[in-house]
Amino acid sequence: MKTLFIAARSDPEAMAAMFRAELPGHDVVTKAPGDRPVHYAVVGKPLPGTLSSLTGLELVLSLNAGIEHLLASGEVPEGVPIVRMVDPGLVEGMVEWVAAQLLAWHRNLFVYRDQQAAGEWRQHGELMARERVVTVLGAGALGGPVATMLAALGFQVRTWSRSGRAVAGTATFGGDDLAAAVAGADALINLLPATAATTDIIDAALLARLAPGALLVNAGRGAAVVDGDVLAALDAGQLSAAVLDVFRTEPLPADHPFWAHPRVLVSPHVAAPTHARTAVAVMADSVRRHERGEPVPHVVDRSLGY
Ligand code: NAP
């Protein structure tokens, strides 16, 4: 009998019950079983030493789409595949969250909120979605559906990815074409993974290429953004607002200037939470495929870091 160890820190017992229903015939445990091998480990952000103490690992099933912390820990042996979380609940969450932020900004709700605080009744010219260009950085499991949804709302959407992956209804740009992908864009949505190649990618030079008064939305990872450059662009009016869900240090430190900036909206890494209701089915499917000797989807390419 193969053992699946849920090393998740939040409500592992509830998840264990779901796994037992999905994978009868497996030993599903929520505590490391001592000397016995663990074939599958389900992890979010495991405490240091959790993974390195296990033997017999065949798959690491990540509860998160971003896995940079697992690679950085060095605790997953080279030959053991890490499977990223790609599931319908995560996609739906991200699509909703980005739509909410972009539409709120597009229809001037941030401006009207400030006017309400001042008791000011003043109407602004409203643009149509078709008059706005939105660039989505990252065209993967999350960036692709987000871009498709924004195009369906009528925005002129561009996507940028390493391979120039095609996304229906959008203008697609590849690795070398970042400058063209963001040129004159009214909104920039970051959905890139955290890798060496994406660190500090949203800097002063890139922000200067956007249309004046653009919106920045970061739902990828905090390390993509040069915080000081975003603050400078906001103060100069090059950005009219920044909606930030992810940060270099989380929780965002109490003294970070993002907290108090009037044109920054901080949310506490909630854009696309993992829902066990959908995620367990996806992870169980990976286990079944592995046991049938079939390829398991969404295995991390360690050479690329995502
Ligand atoms: P994914 O399916 O791996 O897609 C990543 C996309 O980024 C791909 O299109 C990839 O290009 C592109 N990319 C990677 N490195 C690049 C580079 N150097 N230059 C240009 N493009 C590059 O990942 P995902 O599932 O969409 O998730 C994306 C990220 O969202 C995660 O890594 C995580 O950090 C973040 N996330 C945040 C939350 C939240 O709550 N805020 C929740 C879930 C995920 P190719 O298509 O060519 O491979």
Side-chain angles (χ1 to χ4, degrees):
M1 183 184 282
K2 297 221 171 177
T3 297
L4 181 144
F5 168 39
I6 302 172
R9 285 191 261 166
S10 137
D11 206 358
E13 290 304 334
M15 201 179 287
M18 294 181 205
F19 267 113
R20 288 183 190 117
E22 286 277 350
L23 296 172
H26 290 69
D27 183 24
V28 177
V29 298
T30 57
K31 295 203 168 41
D35 296 343
R36 285 192 291 121
V38 165
H39 305 92
Y40 310 114
V42 174
V43 295
K45 294 196 171 63
L47 294 172
T50 304
L51 284 171
S52 57
S53 68
L54 304 178
T55 57
L57 262 183
E58 295 179 17
L59 288 181
V60 170
L61 301 160
S62 169
L63 289 164
N64 303 110
I67 47 68
E68 68 280 3
H69 56 287
L70 296 177
L71 294 182
S73 76
E75 291 198 29
V76 185
E78 267 305 316
V80 176
I82 300 172
V83 185
R84 299 183 327 100
M85 177 51 62
V86 177
D87 94 300
L90 210 60
V91 173
E92 285 169 33
M94 188 59 84
V95 165
E96 288 172 0
W97 190 85
V98 173
Q101 307 310 332
L102 182 66
L103 288 173
W105 171 83
H106 165 61
R107 295 309 307 271
N108 288 316
L109 296 186
F110 297 166
V111 175
Y112 295 131
R113 180 197 55 194
D114 292 346
Q115 288 185 195
Q116 182 179 345
E120 185 184 3
W121 179 278
R122 185 156 61 95
Q123 296 171 338
H124 294 270
E126 305 279 348
L127 292 177
M128 290 181 286
R130 73 180 71 164
E131 296 172 305
R132 304 256 204 211
V133 174
V134 180
T135 299
V136 181
L137 304 181
L142 298 175
V146 164
T148 299
M149 177 275 301
L150 299 181
L153 286 170
F155 293 99
Q156 298 174 49
V157 182
R158 303 172 186 164
T159 50
W160 180 72
S161 64
R162 198 177 46 79
S163 61
R165 186 192 291 259
V167 179
T170 77
T172 50
F173 294 78
D176 294 338
D177 292 332
L178 177 58
V182 302
D186 300 295
L188 182 67
I189 317 286
N190 178 44
L191 283 170
L192 292 167
T195 69
T198 62
T199 301
D200 293 339
I201 200 162
I202 301 176
D203 61 3
L206 186 138
L207 294 171
R209 300 192 70 85
L210 302 175
L215 167 72
L216 170 66
V217 175
N218 188 13
R221 282 290 184 261
V225 162
V226 180
D227 293 0
D229 290 1
V230 169
L231 290 163
L234 285 163
D235 292 339
Q238 175 60 11
L239 288 177
S240 59
V243 180
L244 308 173
D245 186 58
V246 287
F247 304 91
R248 283 176 182 260
T249 305
E250 296 183 4
L252 184 64
D255 60 350
H256 196 290
F258 284 154
W259 280 116
H261 199 288
R263 284 187 299 285
V264 174
L265 179 61
V266 169
S267 61
H269 200 143
V270 289
T274 298
H275 300 283
R277 277 105 62 205
T278 52
V280 167
V282 169
M283 291 184 282
D285 182 61
S286 295
V287 168
R288 287 190 289 262
R289 285 172 190 259
H290 169 74
E291 293 180 353
R292 290 197 297 261
E294 296 171 8
V296 176
H298 311 303
V299 169
V300 172
D301 181 332
R302 292 189 187 216
S303 66
L304 294 173
Y306 70 97

